Amino acid sequence: RTSAHDAGFGMSDARRALLHIIKSLFVVGASKNVLQVGLSALVHLLSEFEDLQPVYITVLLSQPSADRQRLLRPAGDEGDFTGGRKPYVQGNSSRTYEEKCISKLWPHLEVGKTLVRTFSSSEFVRLQPPHLEVLLATLPEEFEESEAEEWPGLYEQAAQHVFDALITPDLHLQAAQFIRHFWTCQNEHIAATSAEKSRGPLIKALQALHSPSDQPKVKEVSISEFLRDLKNSVGGVVAVEVTSAVESFRESFPDEYRHSSLSKVLL
């Protein structure tokens, strides 16, 4: 064998060994301080080691809310993506470790895809606040033109779950933020395609909102105001799709429509 072959083989072995070590230490149930340090330390490896992304997301979702939110918060005005050194207490000792704003450092699209794939697992039931926190953090401030064909696919995979969250009181604001980010973005292809892929999930959400259920739901007017605002402020394809969804709901569920405030959306 050539030395180049040996080098390549060795690198592959080293890569597998590194992943094995990381995955054996970086597991839900380990010390939350150890995991918090790991989340900051490993974020730079997510682009190169895609196999690391599923366990990374699982650990991030399992962290206490305050710890997770510190890692997902926006960077400062100076563009500093480090949060400084934080004291972590372990037993009788205390040490400081650097925390980073991981949502500014990770590969947004790839991490988003990894997260959304978990929504399709047989064990997944519905979105919880940690899912939406992380999902929102995977969205870049502005979508890259080179990724414009891929983001609508992620949106479509997440849409039904997000629209279910839209009618859930403690998830409504975050779900609305996710939808708004796509529908109002500067990239016309992403905005139009995501709006088009929303019609079915939106109709199902309206049906669930107006059906008897033990599940807590937002006030119906919150949804009609949300839809009316987007329809009137964005216009174009968004206005067409919102109008079409509401009209389809009116035709299929005339009694529920008559007792709702959705008529204001069509004005």
Side-chain angles (χ1 to χ4, degrees), residues 143-217:
F143 293 112
E144 297 287 341
E145 189 67 35
S146 60
E147 298 174 342
E149 296 298 325
E150 297 187 74
W151 279 107
L154 180 149
Y155 179 92
E156 184 176 22
Q157 283 185 279
Q160 188 58 64
H161 297 288
V162 172
F163 276 95
D164 286 343
L166 185 68
I167 66 172
T168 304
D170 61 335
L171 303 177
H172 172 77
L173 292 178
Q174 290 172 308
Q177 185 179 346
F178 179 84
I179 296 166
R180 191 183 298 275
H181 192 83
F182 278 85
W183 287 14
T184 64
C185 74
Q186 295 298 311
N187 187 292
E188 293 183 5
H189 172 72
I190 294 177
T193 306
S194 60
E196 291 168 356
K197 294 179 182 298
S198 298
R199 188 189 307 181
L202 174 54
I203 293 173
K204 288 181 180 179
L206 291 175
Q207 181 182 358
L209 179 64
H210 293 88
S211 299
S213 171
D214 294 332
Q215 294 290 337
K217 301 173 187 176

Side-chain angles (χ1 to χ4, degrees), residues 11-165:
M11 181 61 72
S12 178
D13 280 354
R15 183 188 183 97
R16 285 195 293 269
L18 175 60
L19 281 175
H20 177 73
I21 293 171
I22 291 173
K23 289 181 177 180
S24 65
L25 298 173
F26 198 58
V27 293
V28 174
S31 163
K32 67 179 182 65
N33 289 340
V34 171
L35 297 178
Q36 190 80 350
V37 172
L39 288 165
S40 285
L42 297 175
V43 66
H44 295 288
L45 298 180
L46 296 179
S47 294
E48 182 178 355
F49 293 87
E50 293 185 8
D51 291 347
L52 183 59
Q53 292 177 18
V55 67
Y56 189 94
I57 290 295
T58 299
V59 168
L60 180 59
L61 291 171
S62 72
Q63 283 294 85
S65 178
D67 291 350
R68 181 176 56 253
Q69 289 172 8
R70 285 206 311 272
L71 298 176
L72 298 178
R73 69 198 175 290
D77 294 337
E78 298 80 10
D80 181 8
F81 301 151
T82 65
R85 301 183 72 83
K86 304 292 182 183
Y88 293 163
V89 178
Q90 183 112 15
N92 295 323
S93 63
S94 175
R95 296 185 63 181
T96 59
Y97 295 90
E98 183 183 51
E99 284 192 354
K100 298 176 181 176
C101 181
I102 62 175
S103 61
K104 296 294 184 179
L105 299 171
W106 61 20
H108 293 87
L109 178 61
E110 295 309 315
V111 174
K113 286 180 176 179
T114 300
L115 173 62
V116 169
R117 276 196 291 270
T118 68
F119 301 169
S120 302
S121 72
S122 58
E123 300 175 356
F124 187 83
V125 179
R126 61 192 304 135
L127 292 179
Q128 300 297 332
H131 296 112
L132 276 170
E133 284 178 10
V134 178
L135 184 61
L136 285 171
T138 67
L139 302 181
E141 293 182 9
E142 298 290 341
F143 293 112
E144 297 287 341
E145 189 67 35
S146 60
E147 298 174 342
E149 296 298 325
E150 297 187 74
W151 279 107
L154 180 149
Y155 179 92
E156 184 176 22
Q157 283 185 279
Q160 188 58 64
H161 297 288
V162 172
F163 276 95
D164 286 343

